[in-house]
Amino acid sequence: MSYLRLISTENSDRMKKLKQVWQFLNTDIRELGKPGDVAETGTEITKFALEFGLALGLFSAIAGSGGIPIAIAGLSGTKLAIQGVRLYRKKTNQEPSLEEWVAIASPLAYLESFNELVQSNDLLQQVNLQPASTTSPANIAQQQSAKLGEFQLNETIVINALTCFHESELAQILNQLLSLQLQQTGIAQYQAYIITSWVAWGTHRHLKKAFEDADISVKQRAKIYIDILVQSPDKYDSIDAYLKEQIATKPNEPVFTESFNYRDIYVPLKAKPVNKNGNVDDRAEAFDLETWTKNTLNHSYKQDKVMFIQGGPGRGKSVFCRMFADFVRQHLHPIWTPVLIRLRDIPKLQPSFRETLREAVNADFAESDDGWLTDRNTQFLFLLDGFDELVMEGRTSGGLEEFLKQVGQFQRDCQQSKDMGHRVLITGRALALHSIERQMPHNLERVEIQPMDDELQPQWLTKWETQVGKDKSSAFQQFLRDKSCPDRVRELAKEPLLLYLLAAMHRDGKLTVEMFAGASGVGAKILIYEQSLEWVLTEQRPEWLNRELTGQETAGLRRILAEAGLCVVQSGGECAAIKTIESRLKGDDSAIELIQQARERHGEDGLKNALAAFYLQPAAADKGGSVEFAHKSFGEFLCAERLKESIEDWTRPGIKRQEFYMSTDQMDWQIYDLLGYGGLTPEIVEYLMALLAVSTEFQPVRLFKRLENFYLRWCDGEFIDAPPENLPQKKMRQMREQTPEVKWIGLRQVDIYAGLNVTILLLELHRYAQLRDDLKHEIAFFPCGKKNTDSFDEYRLLRSIGYSECIGIGGFLGTVAKFLRGANLIDANLSGADLIDANLSGANLIDVNLSHADLKGVDLIDANLRGADLRGANLSSADLSSADLRGADLEDIF
C-alpha cells in the first residue's frame, strides 16, 4: 500500500478541509508579497484577480476598502503560490504536508494563471467588475465557494492535481467558481467556459515554479507526478507552440531584403462597406479596419457572418492578416485563437471545408485530434489570406463558388452549434469574385480596403523616418510634393506596397521626378515596377555573383525573372519549381551561363538562393525545389513582360520571302505554350497592354491579323482535332512533366484556355485600336465575323461559350466575360447563352439574338441594343443605364 493511501485510509479523521488549510490565508493580501516583487517579475496583480481571490475565500477584504479588495500598486501577481506556501511556514512554524502544499499552491497558482490572462486579454480588462463582499447576500457564487471550502483532498485528487491539473477535480470546481464570477461581469457563458479552461491549463506552469521552492519532503513525494505533464504535451501545448512559432513571428519577418520588419512600418488600414451588388459604398465614411474586425468578431448578432476583406494588389491585405492574427494572439486569446492560412499553400481543396482546414493547419492540435473543431475549450478565428490565390483547381470548374459556399455553410454551422463558435475571415481581390457575384453566399460581410488617406500616409512616413533617418524621409516627402510629380504617382503612393517601393528607391537614389514625365494610368505603376526591378538588379548584384554584370548578363537575368513570373502564374499555385524554370530557359545561353555561375557560388541550390534577392523566396510548403514571389504583383508583372517578349517576336519581319520572322507553326506552339494554362487575369492583361503601348517593337495590325487567324482556326477545332501529337497534347504533356502537382490540367483545359486567352487579346487590341484614329479602321474584331462576308458565322461565339462550359464556370464566364466591354457582337446569335455578370458596357449589340439568354447582373451601361432580340431573357439585376433599346424586342423579359 502506498504512503498516500496509508494516510488516506488510516488517518482520514485527521484530513483537513480546504477552508481549514486556508484559514491562515484569510488575511491581508499584502502578506503574500511586497511592492518590490513586481520589479523582479514585471507583472502586477489585477483587481479582477483580487476580486476572484476574495470570492474563493483565500483571503479577506482589506481594511478600509469597504469590503472590496483594492489593487496593490507594485504587488506581483506571479509569485502568489510561492508566497502562500512561505506564509504557511511562517505562521505554523512547520513544513506543509503534500496535501497541504497542494491545497495552498493549487488555488493560488490558478489565481496566478488567471491574473496572467487578465493582463493580456482586452476583453477581461474592459469588463465592469461586480463588487462582492463578505457581507453581501448569499448567492450562487458564495454557495459554490462554501462548497469548495468543504472540499477534502485524498490521494487520487492530489495525484490528479499534480499530474494533469486542468483535468483534475480541483480544477473543475475552481473553473465553476471562476465561470460564475465571469458571468456576473457580463461575459457570455460559452466565453467563460473557454477562459476557465485556459486558466486551468496555465496553472500547471505556476505550480511547477512553486514546486521549485517547496520543502525537500514535498519534492520527493510529488516529483514523479508533477513531471508527468511535461512528458505528455496536450492540445493546449500544441496551440501555445503554434501561436509562438507561427503567429507571433509573422510581424517580425523582414520586409523583402530590408533590415526592418513589417511591424516597424505597418500602419492601420481603413475600409468602406461593400453592398450586396459588390459595389463599394463611396458615400460611407472610411472606418478603421481593425476596429471593424474586432466589432464583427465580438458582436453576437453577427456570429453567422463570414468577414470578407477585399482590396486591389498591394493594398495591404496579407500584412493586415499577419498583424491582426498577432493582435488576437496577444489581446484576445484564448477567447479567440488565431489560425492564419495562406490559401495559396493549400495543395488541393477537399470535399468539405472542415477537411480543407485540417489539411491547411500545420499543427499537431489539428492533425492529431479528429474533434478539434468541436472542442468547446477553443474558439478559432480562421484568417484565410488570398482568396484569389487558391490553387488553379479551386479557381476553375466552379471552385471559387463552391469554396465560398462551403465557408458560408461552415459559418452558419458554427453559429447554430453549441460546440463550435469559430469565425472565418477571408481576404482577396475583388476581381476574383466577378464571375460569381450573384452566386455567393448571403452571409458574407464585405468591406474594401481604401488607399491611405491624409491621416494614414503621414503615419507611415513617420515610421519610415525612424528606419532611414529624417533627411532621407524629408527628401522623399518633398519628391511627392514636387509640382512636377504626376498626380498618378501621388495616387499610387497611397498604396502600401507601391509607397514602400517608391520610398526605398528614392532612399537609394534610384528615383527622380523626371522618370515619370508623361506617365499616366497603369503606365506609372509599370514604371515603378520596372524601376524597382532595375533597382534590385543594381543593389543586389553582390548577392548574385559578387561582381558587376555585363549588359548581356543583365538581359539574361531579366529573362530568368520573366520566365519565373510565367512559371509561377502557369503553376496556378503561386509558386514554381526551379527545374521548370530551368527547363524553359534551355537555348538561352546568357541565362544558362548565369545559372551555372550561380551554382558555382551558391551550391546546388544556386538559382533558388540567388533568386531570393529578386522578390523570390522558397515556397512556404516547399521541400527545397520551388520558389514563390514575395508579392503576387511582381509575378504578374514579370509574366506580362514575358508575354510581351513573345508577342514582339510574333510580328517581327522575316527575311527574303518570309513575311514573318516566326513561322505560323512556331507561333501556334508558342500560343499554346504561353496561354494554354488558365485564364489571363485583368491585372496581367492591364500590364501587358501598357507594356506593348510603349514598345517600339509593337506592331498592332500585324499582331491582330495573326491572332485573328489563330482564333478562326481554333474555333473550327483545327488544333484539337489534329492527329497526335498535336499542340494541345504537347502542352498537356509538358505541364504534367514540369508541374505534376497541377492535376487539374487536361487536354480540354489546355485547348480551351489557349483559345479563350487569344480571344481576350483580340478584344483588348480592338479596344486599343478604337481609341486611335490611325488604327480604328485597320483593327476591328468581330467574334462572329462581319455579316455578308465569308468569315461570318452567327453561331461561332455561342459554340465557343458552349465548348468552354465543359470545364465549368472557369471557362468563358470566368475568363472572357469580364473583357467584353466595348465588344463588337453585331448580328451574333447568343440565344440561350449564359452571360451572368458579364461586362458588356458600351458593347455593340445591334440585332444580336439574346432570346432566353441569362443576363442576370450583366453590365449593359451604354450598350447599343438596337433591334436586339431579348425575348424571354433574364435581365434581373442587369444595369441598363443609358443603354440604347430602340427597336429591341423585350417580350417576356424578367
Side-chain angles (χ1 to χ4, degrees):
M1 183 178 294
S2 71
Y3 181 69
L4 274 175
R5 185 170 297 281
L6 189 64
I7 289 180
S8 62
T9 55
E10 296 183 4
N11 301 308
S12 59
D13 60 316
R14 290 186 294 173
M15 288 180 62
K16 295 180 180 179
K17 298 177 181 178
L18 286 181
K19 67 179 181 181
Q20 293 174 299
V21 181
W22 292 350
Q23 283 179 351
F24 78 96
L25 281 175
N26 199 10
T27 184
D28 192 327
I29 179 63
R30 283 170 287 198
E31 290 197 52
L32 290 179
K34 57 184 183 296
D37 289 340
V38 75
E40 176 187 343
T41 63
T43 303
E44 293 185 11
I45 193 164
T46 63
K47 186 176 181 181
F48 206 160
L50 288 172
E51 191 73 50
F52 180 54
L54 177 65
L56 289 177
L58 288 173
F59 36 77
S60 64
I62 298 169
S65 66
I68 304 170
I70 60 174
I72 308 302
L75 178 60
S76 169
T78 58
K79 298 178 68 176
L80 295 178
I82 292 174
Q83 296 295 347
V85 175
R86 289 178 181 176
L87 184 59
Y88 180 89
R89 294 188 192 126
K90 175 183 175 181
K91 290 199 171 187
T92 63
N93 292 317
Q94 66 181 32
E95 294 294 337
S97 66
L98 179 58
E99 294 80 1
E100 290 169 333
W101 186 88
V102 169
I104 298 167
S106 293
L108 287 174
Y110 186 93
L111 192 59
E112 287 184 58
S113 179
F114 177 55
N115 185 70
E116 186 176 68
L117 189 59
V118 174
Q119 291 280 359
S120 64
N121 190 281
D122 284 2
L123 177 63
L124 294 178
Q125 291 175 12
Q126 295 169 9
V127 296
N128 295 317
L129 292 177
Q130 300 296 318
S133 71
T134 54
T135 60
S136 61
N139 54 38
I140 298 176
Q142 289 178 325
Q143 294 172 13
Q144 291 290 332
S145 179
K147 186 185 296 184
L148 176 63
E150 297 295 325
F151 201 75
Q152 288 187 330
L153 294 178
N154 59 30
E155 176 188 9
T156 301
I157 292 173
V158 168
I159 292 174
N160 290 344
L162 292 175
T163 56
C164 188
F165 181 83
H166 65 276
E167 294 182 0
S168 69
E169 297 85 350
L170 192 52
Q172 290 177 23
I173 194 166
L174 286 170
N175 284 350
Q176 291 174 11
L177 282 166
L178 179 55
S179 179
L180 289 169
Q181 187 82 358
L182 292 168
Q183 290 176 60
Q184 285 181 351
T185 68
I187 292 175
Q189 183 178 6
Y190 75 94
Q191 291 180 327
Y193 183 86
I194 293 171
I195 292 169
T196 57
S197 298
W198 279 88
V199 170
W201 172 75
T203 300
H204 189 85
R205 189 166 59 246
H206 298 284
L207 271 177
K208 290 259 314 170
K209 292 177 183 176
F211 178 70
E212 293 169 2
D213 190 66
D215 177 67
I216 187 66
S217 62
V218 171
K219 286 184 176 181
Q220 288 176 342
R221 293 179 58 196
K223 190 175 189 310
I224 187 174
Y225 304 120
I226 206 163
D227 283 343
I228 289 177
L229 188 57
V230 179
Q231 299 169 7
S232 305
D234 61 7
K235 180 190 69 175
Y236 294 95
D237 295 296
S238 175
I239 292 176
D240 201 45
Y242 169 81
L243 294 176
K244 290 176 181 176
E245 296 167 9
Q246 299 191 45
I247 299 297
T249 57
K250 291 299 181 185
N252 300 322
E253 292 177 355
V255 177
F256 301 122
T257 57
E258 301 281 6
S259 59
F260 52 82
N261 57 43
Y262 290 100
R263 193 188 302 279
D264 292 331
I265 62 170
Y266 178 75
V267 296
L269 302 171
K270 291 185 179 180
K272 286 188 176 183
V274 177
N275 62 30
K276 294 180 179 179
N277 295 324
N279 300 317
V280 178
D281 186 355
D282 290 325
R283 296 172 299 177
E285 186 175 346
F287 47 78
D288 180 74
L289 180 60
E290 187 176 290
T291 301
W292 173 85
T293 309
K294 287 189 290 186
N295 290 341
T296 306
L297 191 62
N298 291 317
H299 281 331
S300 58
Y301 66 89
K302 291 190 175 182
Q303 295 302 303
D304 67 324
K305 299 296 185 183
V306 175
M307 292 170 278
F308 195 102
I309 299 173
Q310 63 189 48
R315 192 61 67 86
K317 301 180 295 295
S318 295
V319 177
F320 169 78
C321 281
R322 66 172 65 206
M323 298 301 295
F324 190 73
D326 189 55
F327 172 85
V328 173
R329 176 192 69 85
Q330 293 186 70
H331 302 285
L332 302 180
H333 178 71
I335 294 176
W336 294 106
T337 298
V339 175
L340 179 58
I341 299 170
R342 293 196 319 169
L343 290 176
R344 68 165 69 175
D345 294 334
I346 300 177
K348 180 181 175 64
L349 294 180
Q350 301 301 317
S352 74
F353 182 62
R354 297 190 194 196
E355 294 176 62
T356 298
L357 282 177
R358 186 175 190 132
E359 176 117 350
V361 180
N362 183 26
D364 184 66
F365 64 82
E367 296 170 354
S368 62
D369 182 4
D370 291 336
W372 70 292
L373 289 174
T374 54
D375 185 342
R376 295 174 64 191
N377 289 345
T378 49
Q379 190 170 243
F380 294 109
L381 167 62
F382 295 106
L383 298 103
L384 311 180
D385 183 33
F387 176 69
D388 51 296
E389 299 177 19
L390 278 166
V391 290
M392 190 65 76
E393 181 183 21
R395 300 205 294 264
T396 60
S397 304
L400 291 177
E401 179 186 348
E402 179 60 29
F403 178 74
L404 280 182
K405 283 183 178 178
Q406 288 182 4
V407 174
Q409 186 57 53
F410 174 80
Q411 191 63 77
R412 284 189 290 269
D413 291 344
C414 289
Q415 189 232 2
Q416 295 167 7
S417 171
K418 64 179 181 180
D419 298 323
M420 296 196 305
H422 316 302
R423 296 298 300 274
V424 180
L425 182 152
I426 306 176
T427 71
R429 298 182 183 179
L431 283 172
L433 301 173
H434 180 80
S435 61
I436 60 170
E437 197 76 58
R438 307 293 166 181
Q439 290 78 44
M440 290 195 299
H442 297 299
N443 60 330
L444 288 191
E445 186 94 355
R446 293 169 65 183
V447 298
E448 180 164 302
I449 300 175
Q450 298 300 293
M452 286 182 174
D453 58 18
D454 293 338
E455 177 187 357
L456 295 184
Q457 192 184 64
Q459 292 179 26
W460 190 93
L461 292 170
T462 298
K463 290 199 167 190
W464 181 250
E465 181 179 312
T466 303
Q467 305 306 319
V468 303
K470 186 173 183 178
D471 291 344
K472 288 185 179 292
S473 178
S474 298
F476 175 60
Q477 293 179 55
Q478 182 58 43
F479 163 82
L480 293 176
R481 289 193 297 266
D482 194 303
K483 293 181 179 179
S484 301
C485 183
D487 290 339
R488 180 57 177 159
V489 174
R490 292 193 187 93
E491 290 176 20
L492 293 173
K494 296 178 181 180
E495 308 286 347
L497 173 64
L498 295 176
L499 176 59
Y500 158 73
L501 290 176
L502 287 168
M505 288 188 289
H506 191 274
R507 172 198 62 191
D508 295 341
K510 305 298 180 182
L511 192 68
T512 64
V513 171
E514 291 72 27
M515 291 177 180
F516 296 95
S520 61
V522 71
K525 184 187 290 188
I526 284 178
L527 274 173
I528 295 173
Y529 282 137
E530 285 185 328
Q531 194 58 37
S532 66
L533 182 60
E534 193 64 34
W535 166 59
V536 173
L537 286 170
T538 303
E539 294 298 312
Q540 302 295 341
R541 278 171 180 163
E543 299 298 325
W544 177 260
L545 294 173
N546 202 27
R547 63 171 172 79
E548 290 293 311
L549 299 178
T550 66
Q552 184 179 4
E553 287 173 332
T554 300
L557 182 50
R558 287 189 71 111
R559 175 65 195 284
I560 292 173
L561 294 174
E563 207 65 53
L566 177 70
C567 290
V568 168
V569 170
Q570 284 204 355
S571 73
E574 312 306 328
C575 65
I578 291 293
K579 66 177 183 179
T580 302
I581 298 172
E582 292 191 47
S583 68
R584 294 190 60 88
L585 290 167
K586 288 178 181 177
D588 190 317
D589 294 339
S590 61
I592 294 299
E593 184 179 350
L594 276 174
I595 291 172
Q596 291 172 347
Q597 292 179 40
R599 282 214 169 92
E600 291 174 5
R601 175 165 173 74
H602 295 283
E604 190 58 32
D605 287 334
L607 180 58
K608 182 179 69 173
N609 295 335
L611 286 176
F614 303 97
Y615 304 129
L616 280 157
Q617 59 196 22
D622 178 46
K623 302 299 183 184
S626 296
V627 291
E628 64 182 12
F629 281 94
H631 196 283
K632 185 179 179 181
S633 295
F634 295 126
E636 291 171 331
F637 171 70
L638 287 167
C639 177
E641 279 212 328
R642 176 65 182 85
L643 294 176
K644 167 187 163 285
E645 292 172 8
S646 289
I647 285 174
E648 290 172 346
D649 287 342
W650 296 345
T651 57
R652 189 166 288 123
I655 56 176
K656 295 183 179 180
R657 295 184 180 181
Q658 270 188 289
E659 183 182 0
F660 294 106
Y661 167 77
M662 183 178 292
S663 70
T664 298
D665 288 345
Q666 288 175 309
M667 179 178 163
D668 290 344
W669 162 242
Q670 283 204 4
I671 287 175
Y672 273 96
D673 182 38
L674 297 173
L675 302 176
Y677 70 91
L680 285 171
T681 66
E683 292 84 4
I684 292 175
V685 172
E686 184 181 43
Y687 292 144
L688 174 61
M689 294 307 296
L691 287 167
L692 288 173
V694 297
S695 171
T696 57
E697 304 291 323
F698 180 38
Q699 300 186 51
V701 176
R702 294 165 69 91
L703 176 63
F704 175 76
K705 289 179 178 178
R706 297 203 82 179
L707 288 177
E708 187 180 42
N709 175 266
F710 177 93
Y711 168 78
L712 292 173
R713 290 182 293 134
W714 174 78
C715 288
D716 289 339
E718 175 181 318
F719 305 105
I720 193 70
D721 291 339
E725 178 183 56
N726 57 39
L727 297 183
Q729 289 173 330
K730 182 180 179 181
K731 177 61 179 176
M732 180 185 69
R733 176 174 55 80
Q734 179 206 71
M735 290 284 288
R736 291 188 173 176
E737 288 174 356
Q738 295 180 352
T739 55
E741 69 278 4
V742 184
K743 301 185 184 302
W744 63 270
I745 200 77
L747 200 61
R748 294 171 303 160
Q749 284 81 4
V750 168
D751 188 54
I752 288 171
Y753 281 123
L756 294 182
N757 285 331
V758 167
T759 306
I760 290 171
L761 293 180
L762 286 167
L763 287 165
E764 289 297 309
L765 283 170
H766 172 83
R767 217 168 5 254
Y768 171 79
Q770 296 310 301
L771 297 175
R772 293 183 49 168
D773 292 336
D774 60 329
L775 292 175
K776 63 171 58 177
H777 300 298
E778 297 280 343
I779 297 175
F781 178 47
F782 294 82
C784 294
K786 285 186 179 180
K787 196 170 185 178
N788 300 322
T789 65
D790 292 340
S791 65
F792 180 69
D793 180 352
E794 66 175 309
Y795 294 102
R796 182 181 290 129
L797 185 58
L798 188 62
R799 283 199 302 273
S800 296
I801 295 173
Y803 177 35
S804 73
E805 284 182 351
C806 71
I807 62 171
I809 199 170
F812 189 89
L813 276 182
T815 52
V816 180
K818 61 183 74 122
F819 294 97
L820 291 172
R821 176 173 54 89
N824 209 335
L825 303 178
I826 296 175
D827 296 308
N829 191 324
L830 296 173
S831 178
D834 184 354
L835 294 170
I836 293 176
D837 290 320
N839 184 357
L840 285 163
S841 59
N844 191 341
L845 301 169
I846 295 175
D847 293 329
V848 70
N849 186 348
L850 288 167
S851 60
H852 305 289
D854 193 343
L855 304 176
K856 186 164 49 180
V858 171
D859 184 348
L860 289 165
I861 297 174
D862 292 323
N864 189 343
L865 286 156
R866 278 183 293 169
D869 185 353
L870 291 165
R871 289 175 298 166
N874 182 355
L875 286 163
S876 61
S877 301
D879 193 339
L880 289 157
S881 303
S882 302
D884 188 344
L885 291 165
R886 285 177 291 177
D889 190 338
L890 303 176
E891 184 181 349
D892 296 328
I893 63 170
F894 62 98

